[in-house]
Amino acid sequence: MRQLIFQIGLAKGAILFLDVAAYWFVVLFSGLRLALLPQYVILFVILILSLYAFGAYDMSRNMGLHSRILSSSAGILVGAVASLPLLFLFPENIHRPQFFAIVGMGFILTGLSRTFIVRALQGLLPERHVVVIGRKDEWSPLFEEISTQMGGKLFVTAYLNPTPVTLDAALEDCRGGCGVLVADPKLYAIAEVQAHGEFLQRTGVEVAYLPKLAEETLKCIPMQCLRHHGNYYTTALGNISPDPAQRVFDLVCSGIGLFVALPLMIVIAAAVRLEDGGPALFRQKRIGLNGRPFTMHKFRSMSLHSSGTEGQFDQEAQYVTRTGRIIRKLRLDELPQLWDVFRGVMSLIGPRPEMESFHVQCMDTIPFYRYRTRLRPGITGWAQVRYKHTTTHEDYVHKTEYDLYYVKNRNLLLDLQIILRTVETMLGMKGAR
């Protein structure tokens, strides 16, 4: 599996090299001015980060041609818009015709590269055959999903049934270039199975555990992995704590956001009050860092005739006000949460805070759910940009898989990806409910 992941990395590198070459070719062709080199670099970095955020370099997933072109185009568009505030800080800037030439050629060149080159590179990626240590009826659906996301390049030769005959036959195939994936550590702990695995390792066969591959391809932590690799995830998630640097980032951004958004917030508050005379803000107790409750603020989007339990999906739609529909579509009802970020009970990015009653229910029914609170809850998060709006308990299980992935793998690039995807969601009004 390490070889396949390494080759996927090479494919990403090749695409990145082509994008870098295309960008600077367009800059040179449209008239490079050395005095504007910092502006060119800023625009370049933001465009590349935006392409990354929208999955333009994700070679591990089997995205169709249409989806790849759309993801690249969205990355170019959002990156261009996001770069403008920084570019305006300079007294002299890139001339408008050159800026539009760079962005326009970005649409064309990234689309062409992913039309022809990505398909060719995916075709060159080798197939990988594995023997899975785990029962077929339990693990087959998850491996089918992983194989689909890997473009059909992963084939399961056998699922291990730990009887002597099946064991010898299945692991004998590994000597022909097949790898071993440990899905169920309890089966691998059986002395006979472990002895075979150690023998194969000595002969050069790779024996790997499933969690890394599942996270790399699915961008979440499947519940099956959490249940069967509990010791690993207990250690990995138990050591997580808030990053002081993120708190500084939250403090600065929320302060700027409150200052910039204040006129808009006054208009929204007035519109909410004028519609039915009720309060502008909706307050609700939610669960925050380390399970501590706090009061979260939103602009009220439901009428005074509702039951007061905003967030109950099966009943709230009929109570949404006209102003509420608009601010929900644009996610403007979340603006007061900038104050919650500023005062330190929330973060810009993190798992969404849940109501206390629902939190208690999920703690009892969803494994590892409590580790969502290892970080401050966020206005937006990985689950919000990767998974649909949650309406059922099953949805919350899948949403938790994405939340735990973020808690375990949080870094600057992942945060940037979430921010850019949130911008796309707001512009496309995908968060409407």
Side-chain angles (χ1 to χ4, degrees):
M1 293 314 302
R2 285 192 298 268
Q3 181 184 4
L4 182 58
I5 292 173
F6 174 74
Q7 289 165 330
I8 289 174
L10 286 180
K12 292 180 182 179
I15 294 299
L16 175 60
F17 174 79
L18 289 171
D19 286 340
V20 171
Y23 175 86
W24 290 106
F25 170 78
V26 174
V27 170
L28 289 171
F29 182 78
S30 60
L32 170 67
R33 289 186 294 162
L34 291 178
L36 300 181
L37 188 59
Q39 290 91 315
Y40 293 129
V41 172
I42 289 173
L43 179 57
F44 165 73
V45 171
I46 293 178
L47 287 176
I48 292 298
L49 288 175
S50 188
L51 284 169
Y52 170 81
F54 286 97
Y57 300 110
D58 193 348
M59 295 293 295
S60 63
R61 294 192 300 128
N62 185 28
M63 297 172 64
L65 175 60
H66 182 258
S67 296
R68 285 205 178 274
I69 293 177
L70 281 180
S71 66
S72 300
S73 300
I76 292 291
L77 178 61
V78 173
V81 173
S83 69
L84 292 177
L86 290 177
L87 294 179
F88 285 149
L89 295 175
F90 292 88
E92 186 181 5
N93 221 310
I94 302 172
H95 290 166
R96 191 176 302 172
Q98 186 180 35
F99 180 83
F100 285 118
I102 293 172
V103 174
M105 288 302 294
F107 277 108
I108 297 171
L109 293 177
T110 56
L112 287 175
S113 67
R114 281 145 185 84
T115 300
F116 300 106
I117 300 170
V118 174
R119 275 189 171 182
L121 287 173
Q122 282 192 326
L124 292 174
L125 290 176
E127 296 177 352
R128 188 63 172 166
H129 296 261
V130 296
V131 168
V132 174
I133 298 181
R135 293 179 174 83
K136 182 176 182 179
D137 58 345
E138 183 177 9
W139 293 99
S140 178
L142 179 60
F143 274 92
E144 288 176 4
E145 185 179 359
I146 292 174
S147 180
T148 299
Q149 293 298 324
M150 295 180 68
K153 297 293 184 179
L154 182 70
F155 294 91
V156 178
T157 302
Y159 289 91
L160 182 64
N161 183 2
T163 60
V165 176
T166 308
L167 175 66
D168 291 338
L171 295 182
E172 184 67 27
D173 291 339
C174 295
R175 302 181 190 182
C178 196
V180 177
L181 270 176
V182 180
D184 189 341
K186 289 184 179 179
L187 289 183
Y188 191 59
I190 296 174
E192 187 178 6
V193 178
Q194 197 165 34
H196 275 277
E198 291 173 353
F199 170 75
L200 290 170
Q201 284 182 305
R202 290 194 296 270
T203 61
V205 174
E206 181 185 359
V207 179
Y209 284 82
L210 177 60
K212 180 175 176 59
L213 175 66
E215 290 181 38
E216 285 280 343
T217 54
L218 302 179
K219 305 302 180 185
C220 67
I221 304 179
M223 279 295 157
Q224 283 176 270
C225 289
L226 288 166
R227 292 189 182 99
H228 287 273
H229 299 266
N231 291 336
Y232 165 70
Y233 281 112
T234 297
T235 302
L237 294 169
N239 291 329
I240 300 297
S241 61
D243 185 356
Q246 187 180 27
R247 177 59 192 144
V248 173
F249 177 79
D250 287 339
L251 194 61
V252 173
C253 291
S254 60
I256 295 173
L258 285 169
F259 177 77
V260 173
L262 183 58
L264 178 60
M265 294 172 69
I266 293 173
V267 172
I268 294 174
V272 172
R273 286 189 62 85
L274 287 173
E275 182 161 353
D276 60 7
L281 290 179
F282 173 81
R283 297 174 177 86
Q284 189 175 59
K285 184 179 288 187
R286 297 289 178 105
I287 298 300
L289 180 64
N290 295 325
R292 293 191 294 268
F294 72 97
T295 300
M296 189 187 75
H297 300 83
K298 298 173 66 174
F299 280 122
R300 184 172 58 84
S301 58
M302 295 169 62
S303 71
L304 295 175
H305 303 293
S306 66
S307 61
T309 55
E310 189 162 345
Q312 301 297 318
F313 312 113
D314 55 344
Q315 298 177 354
E316 68 174 24
Q318 60 183 313
Y319 296 118
V320 176
T321 63
R322 288 173 295 179
T323 302
R325 291 191 186 94
I326 297 173
I327 61 177
R328 281 189 174 199
K329 284 182 180 294
L330 297 172
R331 295 287 184 94
L332 298 178
D333 58 327
E334 313 281 359
L335 281 177
Q337 289 167 40
L338 288 172
W339 170 246
D340 296 326
V341 174
F342 189 80
R343 64 193 181 102
V345 294
M346 288 185 66
S347 179
L348 291 176
I349 301 170
R352 284 294 292 170
E354 300 297 349
M355 293 179 292
E356 190 171 18
S357 59
F358 198 82
H359 174 81
V360 172
Q361 177 185 342
C362 289
M363 286 276 287
D364 294 335
T365 57
I366 302 178
F368 287 80
Y369 184 85
R370 65 186 182 278
Y371 289 104
R372 294 175 75 256
T373 64
R374 299 295 294 182
L375 300 177
R376 289 184 181 87
I379 296 178
T380 186
W382 188 236
Q384 278 64 49
V385 300
R386 294 283 299 197
Y387 195 70
K388 64 183 181 179
H389 187 61
T390 48
T391 58
T392 65
H393 183 269
E394 183 180 358
D395 286 338
Y396 265 91
V397 172
H398 291 302
K399 177 184 173 183
T400 302
E401 295 175 342
Y402 287 98
D403 281 334
L404 293 178
Y405 174 89
Y406 175 78
V407 172
K408 178 177 179 290
N409 298 285
R410 194 197 76 78
N411 56 55
L412 178 60
L413 282 178
L414 186 57
D415 283 350
L416 287 171
Q417 187 171 355
I418 292 170
I419 291 171
L420 291 169
R421 283 177 175 261
T422 302
V423 172
E424 179 203 25
T425 299
M426 294 175 67
L427 292 176
M429 296 186 292
K430 295 181 179 180
R433 57 190 188 274

